[in-house]
Amino acid sequence: MELFKCSNVHAIKSELIGNVETPLGNIVLDFNVEDRSTCNIIPSKLYTLLNGRGYIGEWITKKFRAELLLCRPNISTPYHTSVQGYWAGMWRVGSYTDINQCFFSSTWRKGFSWNYGGINSGEGLECQIWDDGKTSVAIGTEDGQRLIVRASKNDYFPERFEKEINPYNAVTYSREGLVVPIHNLHNNDILQIQFIIAWSKEDIPAWFAVDMDGKKILESVMCT
């Protein structure tokens, strides 16, 4: 584990991670490089956070090192509201060579039970919510403007992306989820992309839960 620094972690037997079970079906967090999916590959190493809040998986190839922090950070919802469940998935990827195209995604697996999904974004947030009439499930990620701000600070996002990213289409919506495409990753680049998944009886608590700053996610699980 090199890209995340966490207190109190313990190595455990490696197995597939990145699958989030919700009342409406399973959502998978994936990093895809030149049409090769990471989610179907058992991590090289797997760690558990000893505070009981999650896991870190590590994949190492000739082209990249990828680490996925899958955790339950402290969240905030409006007064007198709560969510039934939630997970945050944060990717950090370091490239060992130039990579023409890759993408990060948070999408539904086949077999979901929702009957409606729609965009519900806000300032700094790209969000989509799905519903079956009883439960709302939200997926959120940082919007293009937030990514540009992070690039300007070289905050786990290459500085050149400040000018290369279009703030209005940095995130792609589909019927099944959200995708963050990245073009022209250079050797030794390091970048971070996050997705938060939350569900509740109404859409408002879930929406607030997925609108979270990356630094707060890391702080609440004692990672940097």
Side-chain angles (χ1 to χ4, degrees):
M1 188 173 66
E2 293 184 2
L3 303 180
F4 287 104
K5 306 297 182 185
C6 300
S7 302
N8 299 319
V9 297
H10 178 68
I12 59 175
K13 183 179 179 180
S14 197
E15 60 183 58
L16 291 175
I17 67 168
N19 185 74
V20 175
E21 296 182 3
T22 83
L24 304 188
N26 293 344
I27 296 171
V28 62
L29 302 170
D30 196 12
F31 170 59
N32 189 295
V33 177
E34 297 172 351
D35 295 326
R36 184 181 181 185
S37 173
T38 300
C39 69
N40 296 319
I41 302 174
I42 294 177
S44 306
K45 293 182 180 179
L46 183 63
Y47 304 87
T48 182
L49 304 182
L50 296 186
N51 55 20
R53 288 194 163 188
Y55 306 89
I56 297 177
E58 174 184 276
W59 294 261
I60 303 172
T61 74
K62 292 181 179 180
K63 291 187 175 182
F64 64 85
R65 168 189 286 271
E67 296 179 10
L68 172 62
L69 169 64
L70 185 63
C71 64
R72 285 194 172 106
N74 299 327
I75 61 170
S76 177
T77 61
Y79 187 61
H80 282 320
T81 68
S82 63
V83 296
Q84 296 171 312
Y86 67 94
W87 283 93
M90 179 179 287
W91 287 98
R92 281 185 180 169
V93 172
S95 57
Y96 296 148
T97 185
D98 292 350
I99 297 175
N100 292 330
Q101 187 172 12
C102 63
F103 64 84
F104 301 83
S105 61
S106 180
T107 54
W108 291 92
R109 287 191 183 275
K110 291 182 179 180
F112 51 76
S113 61
W114 50 265
N115 49 39
Y116 174 78
I119 298 172
N120 199 334
S121 298
E123 184 178 357
L125 174 70
E126 299 286 4
C127 175
Q128 197 161 353
I129 299 178
W130 294 263
D131 194 285
D132 70 346
K134 298 179 180 179
T135 301
S136 296
V137 178
I139 301 176
T141 190
E142 295 173 304
D143 70 1
Q145 192 58 56
R146 277 194 183 177
L147 294 178
I148 289 172
V149 170
R150 283 180 45 215
S152 70
K153 300 176 180 179
N154 199 25
D155 180 16
Y156 286 99
F157 219 68
E159 288 182 281
R160 68 178 184 281
F161 285 159
E162 181 182 3
K163 296 181 179 179
E164 293 180 8
I165 284 184
N166 185 327
Y168 304 108
N169 65 3
V171 179
T172 302
Y173 287 89
S174 74
R175 180 174 178 267
E176 289 83 17
L178 303 179
V179 177
V180 182
I182 301 293
H183 301 283
N184 300 321
L185 202 59
H186 293 178
N187 184 25
N188 293 324
D189 277 347
I190 298 178
L191 55 83
Q192 171 185 298
I193 296 292
Q194 70 185 45
F195 296 99
I196 304 176
I197 302 164
W199 54 95
S200 56
K201 293 182 179 180
E202 299 177 346
D203 59 359
I204 293 177
W207 186 90
F208 273 91
V210 302
D211 185 16
M212 190 171 186
D213 179 76
K215 286 184 172 58
K216 291 184 177 180
I217 294 174
L218 293 166
E219 288 172 2
S220 67
V221 296
M222 300 175 66
C223 293
T224 58

